């Protein structure tokens, strides 16, 4: 009897990817041959598409991917199409009506029944966090909570994921120990709201510092990186922990969105410009050398020309080591969609976005150039045929910069090395292994 085959295609963020990895492990345990797909290929397998529903472009990509998969199914190229994830959680009935050819629709949380439905038998799970990694084995994403209680005016995440709920500390530590014992060295901690971790399962205060202390002491854990902190109610007790442990990267991803007080109020961000600057000053003072990644939004209702100029001045002043930005797009069901007029023309939004990112590009190039002549610790991700490609502690997978390392027979993929940086190339660095 032929082994059943399933392909898992994960769209959107790394949090989705963790769900896809948990699903893949369950399929593998049930006897399926599982592969992670980068795109749709007519290979005869069943496709499970983990959709994204965060913003308009992501929703459009998910819908188009589902339609393309259904066409492949009609043409006989694939055996079936199952949808899960954020888009299906929010628009399940609409998708069922518009795409009746889908073989199954699952949401953000009930995908756990998908394996049993496909295999026709009950699949017992010992530890729900066990995964089949889609990344290289030396690094992974570690999801420590789900959901969000912030209800920012522009954001649909709480409508999709529900209220914030944290995983128990000891469950996470069990997962980290297991992964580290199998060779995973880098752990990228992710959550919709890292700042709230543990407040719902302890005494009302954050447990992130406790989690970091325990993780940092585990043998084999060599890089820990923090993603998606929230600026209001920031857990300051993590800063001395970060400064004390060499294996906690000097890196923090914290989306700030804006600096203008009126725009922040309209966004319902629970913080003003003065408090934002004080937060950044304290982070940089307590964790010297930290690299901050942030995200900004342009064109939100209430952002007049003066507010945008204040945002430009703020970015020029702070010189963020890593920054992304996007133009506001109204999302169904959010506070902004129901209460604020999206009156800024799209061409104005785009011009503002272009100006902001041009400024940040110059800043990022300067940061890269400042590393020339230094020796940095680099984890090696791959060999591209001519040179090795790695990342410093200041660089997350997929979204940040790379270090291109001259060929050297001492280098192994997954290894961590001291690298002498001899040049920069735009955002990226060039280096060779230190003698």
């Amino acid at each position: 009897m032929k082994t059943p085959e399933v392909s898992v295609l994960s769209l959107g963020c790394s949090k989705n990817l963790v769900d896809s990895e948990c699903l893949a492990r369950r399929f593998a345990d049930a006897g399926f041959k599982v592969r992670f797909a980068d795109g749709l290929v007519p290979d005869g397998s069943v496709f499970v598409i983990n959709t994204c529903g965060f913003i308009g472009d992501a929703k459009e990509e998910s819908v188009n991917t589902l339609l393309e998969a259904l066409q492949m199914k009609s043409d006989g190229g694939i055996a079936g199409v199952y949808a899960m994830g954020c888009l299906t959680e929010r628009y399940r009935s609409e998708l069922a009506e518009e795409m009746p050819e889908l073989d199954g629709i699952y949401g953000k949380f009930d995908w756990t029944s998908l394996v049993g439905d496909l295999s026709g038998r009950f699949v017992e799970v010992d530890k729900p966090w066990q995964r089949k990694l889609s990344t290289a084995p030396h690094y992974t994403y570690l999801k420590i909570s789900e959901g969000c209680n912030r209800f920012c005016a522009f954001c649909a995440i709480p409508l999709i994921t529900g209220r914030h709920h944290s995983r128990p500390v000891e469950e996470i530590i069990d997962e980290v120990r297991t992964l580290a014992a199998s060779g995973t060295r880098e752990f990228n901690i992710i959550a919709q709201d890292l700042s709230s971790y543990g407040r719902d399962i302890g005494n009302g205060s954050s447990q992130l510092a406790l989690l970091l202390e325990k993780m940092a002491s585990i043998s084999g854990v060599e890089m820990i990186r923090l993603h998606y902190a929230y600026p209001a109610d920031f857990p300051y007790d993590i800063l001395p922990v970060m400064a004390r442990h060499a294996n906690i990267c000097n890196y923090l991803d914290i989306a700030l969105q804006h600096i203008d007080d009126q725009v922040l109020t309209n966004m319902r961000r629970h913080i003003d410009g003065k408090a934002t600057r004080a937060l950044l000053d304290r982070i940089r003072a307590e964790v010297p050398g930290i690299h901050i990644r942030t995200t900004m939004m342009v064109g939100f209702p209430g952002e007049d020309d003066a507010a945008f100029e204040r945002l430009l001045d703020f970015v020029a002043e702070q010189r963020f080591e890593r920054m992304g930005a996007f133009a506001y797009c109204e999302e169904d069901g959010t506070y902004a969609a129901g209460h604020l007029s999206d009156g800024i023309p799209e061409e104005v939004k785009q011009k503002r976005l272009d100006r902001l990112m041009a400024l940040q590009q110059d800043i990022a190039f300067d940061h890269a150039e400042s590393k020339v002549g230094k020796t940095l610790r680099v984890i090696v991700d791959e060999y591209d045929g001519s040179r090795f490609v790695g990342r410093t502690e200041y660089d997350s997978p997929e979204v940040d910069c790379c270090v291109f390392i001259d060929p050297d027979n001492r280098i192994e993929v997954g290894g961590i090395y001291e690298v002498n940086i001899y040049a920069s190339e735009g955002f990226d660095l060039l280096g060779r292994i230190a003698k």
Side-chain angles (χ1 to χ4, degrees), residues 392-433:
T392 71
E393 67 173 298
Y394 312 118
D395 300 296
S396 280
E398 307 293 336
V399 297
D400 288 326
C401 312
C402 294
V403 181
F404 296 100
I405 310 168
D406 295 349
D408 191 308
N409 58 16
R410 294 174 291 172
I411 301 176
E412 294 182 358
V413 171
I416 297 176
Y417 303 91
E418 296 294 317
V419 175
N420 294 329
I421 306 301
Y422 64 80
S424 64
E425 198 173 69
F427 296 101
D428 302 317
L429 304 175
L430 307 180
R432 55 179 65 95
I433 295 294

mmCIF file of all heavy atoms in Angstrom, residues 392-433:
data_model
loop_
_atom_site.group_PDB
_atom_site.id
_atom_site.type_symbol
_atom_site.label_atom_id
_atom_site.label_comp_id
_atom_site.label_asym_id
_atom_site.label_seq_id
_atom_site.Cartn_x
_atom_site.Cartn_y
_atom_site.Cartn_z
ATOM 1 N N THR A 392 24.501 37.336 12.343
ATOM 2 C CA THR A 392 25.019 37.704 13.652
ATOM 3 C C THR A 392 23.896 37.580 14.687
ATOM 4 O O THR A 392 22.742 37.307 14.339
ATOM 5 C CB THR A 392 25.542 39.150 13.662
ATOM 6 O OG1 THR A 392 24.426 40.049 13.585
ATOM 7 C CG2 THR A 392 26.476 39.411 12.492
ATOM 8 N N GLU A 393 24.209 37.831 15.939
ATOM 9 C CA GLU A 393 23.170 37.843 16.975
ATOM 10 C C GLU A 393 22.152 38.950 16.730
ATOM 11 O O GLU A 393 21.051 38.927 17.282
ATOM 12 C CB GLU A 393 23.798 38.025 18.356
ATOM 13 C CG GLU A 393 24.442 39.394 18.586
ATOM 14 C CD GLU A 393 24.910 39.586 20.028
ATOM 15 O OE1 GLU A 393 24.067 39.561 20.938
ATOM 16 O OE2 GLU A 393 26.133 39.746 20.220
ATOM 17 N N TYR A 394 22.506 39.921 15.881
ATOM 18 C CA TYR A 394 21.642 41.068 15.615
ATOM 19 C C TYR A 394 20.671 40.823 14.457
ATOM 20 O O TYR A 394 19.977 41.756 14.031
ATOM 21 C CB TYR A 394 22.486 42.301 15.293
ATOM 22 C CG TYR A 394 23.617 42.544 16.255
ATOM 23 C CD1 TYR A 394 24.941 42.527 15.831
ATOM 24 C CD2 TYR A 394 23.368 42.775 17.606
ATOM 25 C CE1 TYR A 394 25.990 42.743 16.715
ATOM 26 C CE2 TYR A 394 24.413 42.992 18.500
ATOM 27 C CZ TYR A 394 25.716 42.967 18.043
ATOM 28 O OH TYR A 394 26.757 43.177 18.925
ATOM 29 N N ASP A 395 20.628 39.590 13.958
ATOM 30 C CA ASP A 395 19.874 39.323 12.733
ATOM 31 C C ASP A 395 19.000 38.092 12.862
ATOM 32 O O ASP A 395 19.494 36.987 13.082
ATOM 33 C CB ASP A 395 20.826 39.150 11.550
ATOM 34 C CG ASP A 395 21.673 40.386 11.313
ATOM 35 O OD1 ASP A 395 21.085 41.432 10.989
ATOM 36 O OD2 ASP A 395 22.902 40.309 11.465
ATOM 37 N N SER A 396 17.699 38.288 12.705
ATOM 38 C CA SER A 396 16.756 37.181 12.721
ATOM 39 C C SER A 396 16.673 36.539 11.339
ATOM 40 O O SER A 396 16.926 37.199 10.319
ATOM 41 C CB SER A 396 15.366 37.675 13.129
ATOM 42 O OG SER A 396 15.278 37.812 14.521
ATOM 43 N N PRO A 397 16.276 35.262 11.300
ATOM 44 C CA PRO A 397 16.105 34.614 9.992
ATOM 45 C C PRO A 397 15.041 35.317 9.161
ATOM 46 O O PRO A 397 14.084 35.881 9.683
ATOM 47 C CB PRO A 397 15.641 33.191 10.377
ATOM 48 C CG PRO A 397 16.042 33.005 11.795
ATOM 49 C CD PRO A 397 15.985 34.359 12.424
ATOM 50 N N GLU A 398 15.241 35.301 7.860
ATOM 51 C CA GLU A 398 14.267 35.783 6.878
ATOM 52 C C GLU A 398 14.171 37.302 6.774
ATOM 53 O O GLU A 398 14.117 37.839 5.674
ATOM 54 C CB GLU A 398 12.854 35.244 7.170
ATOM 55 C CG GLU A 398 12.766 33.734 7.315
ATOM 56 C CD GLU A 398 13.056 32.982 6.033
ATOM 57 O OE1 GLU A 398 12.882 33.574 4.951
ATOM 58 O OE2 GLU A 398 13.463 31.811 6.111
ATOM 59 N N VAL A 399 14.163 38.036 7.896
ATOM 60 C CA VAL A 399 13.820 39.457 7.850
ATOM 61 C C VAL A 399 15.024 40.385 7.949
ATOM 62 O O VAL A 399 14.912 41.569 7.603
ATOM 63 C CB VAL A 399 12.821 39.830 8.963
ATOM 64 C CG1 VAL A 399 11.516 39.087 8.779
ATOM 65 C CG2 VAL A 399 13.401 39.563 10.342
ATOM 66 N N ASP A 400 16.158 39.901 8.445
ATOM 67 C CA ASP A 400 17.285 40.788 8.712
ATOM 68 C C ASP A 400 18.451 40.520 7.757
ATOM 69 O O ASP A 400 18.291 39.867 6.734
ATOM 70 C CB ASP A 400 17.723 40.671 10.172
ATOM 71 C CG ASP A 400 16.728 41.307 11.143
ATOM 72 O OD1 ASP A 400 16.111 42.322 10.767
ATOM 73 O OD2 ASP A 400 16.554 40.787 12.255
ATOM 74 N N CYS A 401 19.602 41.023 8.126
ATOM 75 C CA CYS A 401 20.755 41.032 7.241
ATOM 76 C C CYS A 401 21.524 39.711 7.297
ATOM 77 O O CYS A 401 21.313 38.880 8.177
ATOM 78 C CB CYS A 401 21.688 42.173 7.626
ATOM 79 S SG CYS A 401 20.823 43.751 7.853
ATOM 80 N N CYS A 402 22.434 39.552 6.346
ATOM 81 C CA CYS A 402 23.261 38.349 6.261
ATOM 82 C C CYS A 402 24.736 38.711 6.367
ATOM 83 O O CYS A 402 25.139 39.848 6.102
ATOM 84 C CB CYS A 402 23.030 37.630 4.930
ATOM 85 S SG CYS A 402 21.375 36.948 4.737
ATOM 86 N N VAL A 403 25.527 37.710 6.728
ATOM 87 C CA VAL A 403 26.977 37.799 6.643
ATOM 88 C C VAL A 403 27.430 36.759 5.617
ATOM 89 O O VAL A 403 27.147 35.564 5.781
ATOM 90 C CB VAL A 403 27.655 37.514 7.997
ATOM 91 C CG1 VAL A 403 29.168 37.651 7.864
ATOM 92 C CG2 VAL A 403 27.125 38.449 9.076
ATOM 93 N N PHE A 404 28.088 37.212 4.565
ATOM 94 C CA PHE A 404 28.625 36.308 3.558
ATOM 95 C C PHE A 404 30.090 36.030 3.912
ATOM 96 O O PHE A 404 30.901 36.957 3.994
ATOM 97 C CB PHE A 404 28.503 36.922 2.167
ATOM 98 C CG PHE A 404 27.071 37.126 1.740
ATOM 99 C CD1 PHE A 404 26.470 38.375 1.829
ATOM 100 C CD2 PHE A 404 26.315 36.067 1.266
ATOM 101 C CE1 PHE A 404 25.148 38.564 1.449
ATOM 102 C CE2 PHE A 404 24.996 36.232 0.890
ATOM 103 C CZ PHE A 404 24.414 37.483 0.982
ATOM 104 N N ILE A 405 30.395 34.746 4.132
ATOM 105 C CA ILE A 405 31.700 34.358 4.662
ATOM 106 C C ILE A 405 32.502 33.638 3.589
ATOM 107 O O ILE A 405 31.991 32.726 2.905
ATOM 108 C CB ILE A 405 31.530 33.438 5.888
ATOM 109 C CG1 ILE A 405 30.547 34.061 6.890
ATOM 110 C CG2 ILE A 405 32.876 33.174 6.553
ATOM 111 C CD1 ILE A 405 30.103 33.112 7.978
ATOM 112 N N ASP A 406 33.746 34.042 3.428
ATOM 113 C CA ASP A 406 34.621 33.401 2.457
ATOM 114 C C ASP A 406 34.715 31.901 2.725
ATOM 115 O O ASP A 406 34.722 31.466 3.883
ATOM 116 C CB ASP A 406 36.030 34.012 2.525
ATOM 117 C CG ASP A 406 36.059 35.468 2.105
ATOM 118 O OD1 ASP A 406 35.047 35.953 1.566
ATOM 119 O OD2 ASP A 406 37.084 36.131 2.327
ATOM 120 N N PRO A 407 34.797 31.081 1.666
ATOM 121 C CA PRO A 407 34.912 29.628 1.857
ATOM 122 C C PRO A 407 36.087 29.271 2.765
ATOM 123 O O PRO A 407 37.153 29.877 2.698
ATOM 124 C CB PRO A 407 35.135 29.105 0.437
ATOM 125 C CG PRO A 407 34.508 30.136 -0.446
ATOM 126 C CD PRO A 407 34.766 31.449 0.237
ATOM 127 N N ASP A 408 35.856 28.290 3.621
ATOM 128 C CA ASP A 408 36.873 27.864 4.584
ATOM 129 C C ASP A 408 36.507 26.444 5.014
ATOM 130 O O ASP A 408 35.363 26.184 5.392
ATOM 131 C CB ASP A 408 36.869 28.814 5.788
ATOM 132 C CG ASP A 408 38.063 28.620 6.715
ATOM 133 O OD1 ASP A 408 38.295 27.461 7.119
ATOM 134 O OD2 ASP A 408 38.732 29.605 7.044
ATOM 135 N N ASN A 409 37.472 25.537 4.949
ATOM 136 C CA ASN A 409 37.160 24.146 5.257
ATOM 137 C C ASN A 409 36.891 23.899 6.745
ATOM 138 O O ASN A 409 36.549 22.786 7.145
ATOM 139 C CB ASN A 409 38.258 23.208 4.752
ATOM 140 C CG ASN A 409 39.629 23.524 5.343
ATOM 141 O OD1 ASN A 409 39.736 24.231 6.344
ATOM 142 N ND2 ASN A 409 40.675 23.006 4.706
ATOM 143 N N ARG A 410 37.032 24.926 7.553
ATOM 144 C CA ARG A 410 36.708 24.790 8.974
ATOM 145 C C ARG A 410 35.226 25.040 9.259
ATOM 146 O O ARG A 410 34.752 24.799 10.372
ATOM 147 C CB ARG A 410 37.536 25.780 9.801
ATOM 148 C CG ARG A 410 39.034 25.517 9.811
ATOM 149 C CD ARG A 410 39.770 26.634 10.520
ATOM 150 N NE ARG A 410 39.723 27.879 9.766
ATOM 151 C CZ ARG A 410 40.153 29.053 10.239
ATOM 152 N NH1 ARG A 410 40.631 29.142 11.472
ATOM 153 N NH2 ARG A 410 40.091 30.135 9.479
ATOM 154 N N ILE A 411 34.482 25.514 8.258
ATOM 155 C CA ILE A 411 33.102 25.927 8.470
ATOM 156 C C ILE A 411 32.142 24.770 8.205
ATOM 157 O O ILE A 411 32.264 24.054 7.212
ATOM 158 C CB ILE A 411 32.737 27.115 7.554
ATOM 159 C CG1 ILE A 411 33.651 28.306 7.820
ATOM 160 C CG2 ILE A 411 31.274 27.511 7.756
ATOM 161 C CD1 ILE A 411 33.411 29.471 6.884
ATOM 162 N N GLU A 412 31.174 24.618 9.093
ATOM 163 C CA GLU A 412 30.068 23.690 8.906
ATOM 164 C C GLU A 412 28.749 24.443 9.062
ATOM 165 O O GLU A 412 28.630 25.317 9.929
ATOM 166 C CB GLU A 412 30.125 22.549 9.920
ATOM 167 C CG GLU A 412 31.321 21.618 9.764
ATOM 168 C CD GLU A 412 31.277 20.481 10.761
ATOM 169 O OE1 GLU A 412 30.334 20.449 11.590
ATOM 170 O OE2 GLU A 412 32.172 19.621 10.715
ATOM 171 N N VAL A 413 27.780 24.105 8.220
ATOM 172 C CA VAL A 413 26.456 24.707 8.359
ATOM 173 C C VAL A 413 25.891 24.344 9.727
ATOM 174 O O VAL A 413 25.947 23.193 10.159
ATOM 175 C CB VAL A 413 25.515 24.232 7.237
ATOM 176 C CG1 VAL A 413 24.084 24.685 7.501
ATOM 177 C CG2 VAL A 413 25.997 24.748 5.895
ATOM 178 N N GLY A 414 25.365 25.341 10.418
ATOM 179 C CA GLY A 414 24.844 25.152 11.760
ATOM 180 C C GLY A 414 25.840 25.517 12.842
ATOM 181 O O GLY A 414 25.467 25.626 14.010
ATOM 182 N N GLY A 415 27.106 25.713 12.454
ATOM 183 C CA GLY A 415 28.126 26.094 13.419
ATOM 184 C C GLY A 415 28.096 27.577 13.734
ATOM 185 O O GLY A 415 27.527 28.383 12.994
ATOM 186 N N ILE A 416 28.692 27.929 14.857
ATOM 187 C CA ILE A 416 28.797 29.329 15.271
ATOM 188 C C ILE A 416 30.277 29.685 15.338
ATOM 189 O O ILE A 416 31.069 28.974 15.969
ATOM 190 C CB ILE A 416 28.127 29.560 16.635
ATOM 191 C CG1 ILE A 416 26.616 29.249 16.529
ATOM 192 C CG2 ILE A 416 28.324 30.994 17.104
ATOM 193 C CD1 ILE A 416 25.869 29.361 17.837
ATOM 194 N N TYR A 417 30.675 30.786 14.684
ATOM 195 C CA TYR A 417 32.085 31.132 14.516
ATOM 196 C C TYR A 417 32.318 32.612 14.789
ATOM 197 O O TYR A 417 31.417 33.447 14.617
ATOM 198 C CB TYR A 417 32.542 30.813 13.084
ATOM 199 C CG TYR A 417 32.334 29.373 12.696
ATOM 200 C CD1 TYR A 417 31.150 28.973 12.078
ATOM 201 C CD2 TYR A 417 33.305 28.408 12.970
ATOM 202 C CE1 TYR A 417 30.940 27.647 11.722
ATOM 203 C CE2 TYR A 417 33.109 27.075 12.616
ATOM 204 C CZ TYR A 417 31.929 26.703 11.998
ATOM 205 O OH TYR A 417 31.721 25.385 11.664
ATOM 206 N N GLU A 418 33.539 32.915 15.174
ATOM 207 C CA GLU A 418 33.997 34.297 15.229
ATOM 208 C C GLU A 418 34.426 34.695 13.820
ATOM 209 O O GLU A 418 35.265 34.028 13.204
ATOM 210 C CB GLU A 418 35.162 34.438 16.206
ATOM 211 C CG GLU A 418 34.806 34.129 17.655
ATOM 212 C CD GLU A 418 33.828 35.125 18.234
ATOM 213 O OE1 GLU A 418 34.001 36.339 17.984
ATOM 214 O OE2 GLU A 418 32.876 34.695 18.921
ATOM 215 N N VAL A 419 33.845 35.773 13.304
ATOM 216 C CA VAL A 419 34.074 36.177 11.916
ATOM 217 C C VAL A 419 34.592 37.610 11.887
ATOM 218 O O VAL A 419 33.993 38.515 12.490
ATOM 219 C CB VAL A 419 32.770 36.066 11.094
ATOM 220 C CG1 VAL A 419 32.974 36.597 9.673
ATOM 221 C CG2 VAL A 419 32.291 34.612 11.060
ATOM 222 N N ASN A 420 35.703 37.808 11.179
ATOM 223 C CA ASN A 420 36.247 39.143 10.964
ATOM 224 C C ASN A 420 35.509 39.802 9.798
ATOM 225 O O ASN A 420 35.512 39.268 8.685
ATOM 226 C CB ASN A 420 37.748 39.076 10.648
ATOM 227 C CG ASN A 420 38.562 38.570 11.823
ATOM 228 O OD1 ASN A 420 38.208 38.779 12.984
ATOM 229 N ND2 ASN A 420 39.676 37.895 11.539
ATOM 230 N N ILE A 421 34.892 40.931 10.044
ATOM 231 C CA ILE A 421 34.139 41.639 9.007
ATOM 232 C C ILE A 421 35.095 42.582 8.272
ATOM 233 O O ILE A 421 35.689 43.475 8.876
ATOM 234 C CB ILE A 421 32.969 42.438 9.617
ATOM 235 C CG1 ILE A 421 32.078 41.517 10.470
ATOM 236 C CG2 ILE A 421 32.173 43.130 8.517
ATOM 237 C CD1 ILE A 421 31.469 40.349 9.724
ATOM 238 N N TYR A 422 35.216 42.368 6.964
ATOM 239 C CA TYR A 422 36.158 43.198 6.206
ATOM 240 C C TYR A 422 35.492 44.165 5.232
ATOM 241 O O TYR A 422 36.160 45.042 4.664
ATOM 242 C CB TYR A 422 37.177 42.323 5.459
ATOM 243 C CG TYR A 422 36.611 41.411 4.388
ATOM 244 C CD1 TYR A 422 36.295 41.890 3.117
ATOM 245 C CD2 TYR A 422 36.437 40.057 4.630
ATOM 246 C CE1 TYR A 422 35.804 41.049 2.135
ATOM 247 C CE2 TYR A 422 35.958 39.203 3.656
ATOM 248 C CZ TYR A 422 35.633 39.712 2.409
ATOM 249 O OH TYR A 422 35.141 38.872 1.433
ATOM 250 N N ALA A 423 34.163 44.043 5.055
ATOM 251 C CA ALA A 423 33.466 44.981 4.164
ATOM 252 C C ALA A 423 31.970 44.877 4.411
ATOM 253 O O ALA A 423 31.473 43.899 4.978
ATOM 254 C CB ALA A 423 33.780 44.681 2.693
ATOM 255 N N SER A 424 31.256 45.919 3.978
ATOM 256 C CA SER A 424 29.795 45.863 3.965
ATOM 257 C C SER A 424 29.330 45.994 2.525
ATOM 258 O O SER A 424 30.011 46.570 1.668
ATOM 259 C CB SER A 424 29.195 46.976 4.823
ATOM 260 O OG SER A 424 29.487 48.252 4.306
ATOM 261 N N GLU A 425 28.140 45.452 2.272
ATOM 262 C CA GLU A 425 27.584 45.437 0.923
ATOM 263 C C GLU A 425 26.095 45.763 1.054
ATOM 264 O O GLU A 425 25.274 44.868 1.195
ATOM 265 C CB GLU A 425 27.798 44.049 0.311
ATOM 266 C CG GLU A 425 27.671 43.972 -1.182
ATOM 267 C CD GLU A 425 28.059 42.591 -1.707
ATOM 268 O OE1 GLU A 425 27.309 41.624 -1.453
ATOM 269 O OE2 GLU A 425 29.124 42.487 -2.328
ATOM 270 N N GLY A 426 25.761 47.062 1.097
ATOM 271 C CA GLY A 426 24.386 47.451 1.358
ATOM 272 C C GLY A 426 24.024 47.134 2.796
ATOM 273 O O GLY A 426 24.672 47.586 3.737
ATOM 274 N N PHE A 427 22.988 46.311 2.974
ATOM 275 C CA PHE A 427 22.566 45.908 4.321
ATOM 276 C C PHE A 427 23.477 44.821 4.900
ATOM 277 O O PHE A 427 23.516 44.639 6.116
ATOM 278 C CB PHE A 427 21.133 45.342 4.279
ATOM 279 C CG PHE A 427 20.082 46.328 3.866
ATOM 280 C CD1 PHE A 427 19.580 46.332 2.566
ATOM 281 C CD2 PHE A 427 19.575 47.244 4.769
ATOM 282 C CE1 PHE A 427 18.594 47.231 2.184
ATOM 283 C CE2 PHE A 427 18.592 48.145 4.403
ATOM 284 C CZ PHE A 427 18.109 48.149 3.101
ATOM 285 N N ASP A 428 24.170 44.100 4.048
ATOM 286 C CA ASP A 428 24.865 42.876 4.449
ATOM 287 C C ASP A 428 26.357 43.097 4.704
ATOM 288 O O ASP A 428 26.920 44.144 4.356
ATOM 289 C CB ASP A 428 24.654 41.791 3.382
ATOM 290 C CG ASP A 428 23.178 41.492 3.161
ATOM 291 O OD1 ASP A 428 22.452 41.393 4.163
ATOM 292 O OD2 ASP A 428 22.765 41.360 1.991
ATOM 293 N N LEU A 429 26.977 42.068 5.278
ATOM 294 C CA LEU A 429 28.382 42.127 5.654
ATOM 295 C C LEU A 429 29.162 41.028 4.951
ATOM 296 O O LEU A 429 28.617 39.965 4.617
ATOM 297 C CB LEU A 429 28.536 41.952 7.164
ATOM 298 C CG LEU A 429 27.758 42.942 8.050
ATOM 299 C CD1 LEU A 429 27.916 42.554 9.522
ATOM 300 C CD2 LEU A 429 28.242 44.378 7.823
ATOM 301 N N LEU A 430 30.447 41.293 4.739
ATOM 302 C CA LEU A 430 31.376 40.306 4.187
ATOM 303 C C LEU A 430 32.421 39.997 5.244
ATOM 304 O O LEU A 430 32.940 40.911 5.900
ATOM 305 C CB LEU A 430 32.049 40.836 2.926
ATOM 306 C CG LEU A 430 31.126 41.374 1.805
ATOM 307 C CD1 LEU A 430 31.968 41.857 0.626
ATOM 308 C CD2 LEU A 430 30.118 40.312 1.355
ATOM 309 N N GLY A 431 32.729 38.714 5.408
ATOM 310 C CA GLY A 431 33.693 38.364 6.457
ATOM 311 C C GLY A 431 34.440 37.095 6.166
ATOM 312 O O GLY A 431 34.169 36.368 5.185
ATOM 313 N N ARG A 432 35.408 36.820 7.006
ATOM 314 C CA ARG A 432 36.153 35.557 6.937
ATOM 315 C C ARG A 432 36.381 35.066 8.361
ATOM 316 O O ARG A 432 36.418 35.865 9.300
ATOM 317 C CB ARG A 432 37.492 35.736 6.200
ATOM 318 C CG ARG A 432 38.387 36.806 6.747
ATOM 319 C CD ARG A 432 39.710 36.881 5.965
ATOM 320 N NE ARG A 432 39.484 37.300 4.596
ATOM 321 C CZ ARG A 432 39.583 38.562 4.165
ATOM 322 N NH1 ARG A 432 39.873 39.536 5.028
ATOM 323 N NH2 ARG A 432 39.379 38.865 2.899
ATOM 324 N N ILE A 433 36.502 33.761 8.490
ATOM 325 C CA ILE A 433 36.685 33.149 9.799
ATOM 326 C C ILE A 433 37.939 33.702 10.459
ATOM 327 O O ILE A 433 38.993 33.831 9.838
ATOM 328 C CB ILE A 433 36.793 31.623 9.671
ATOM 329 C CG1 ILE A 433 35.469 31.048 9.163
ATOM 330 C CG2 ILE A 433 37.154 30.965 11.003
ATOM 331 C CD1 ILE A 433 34.325 31.192 10.107
#
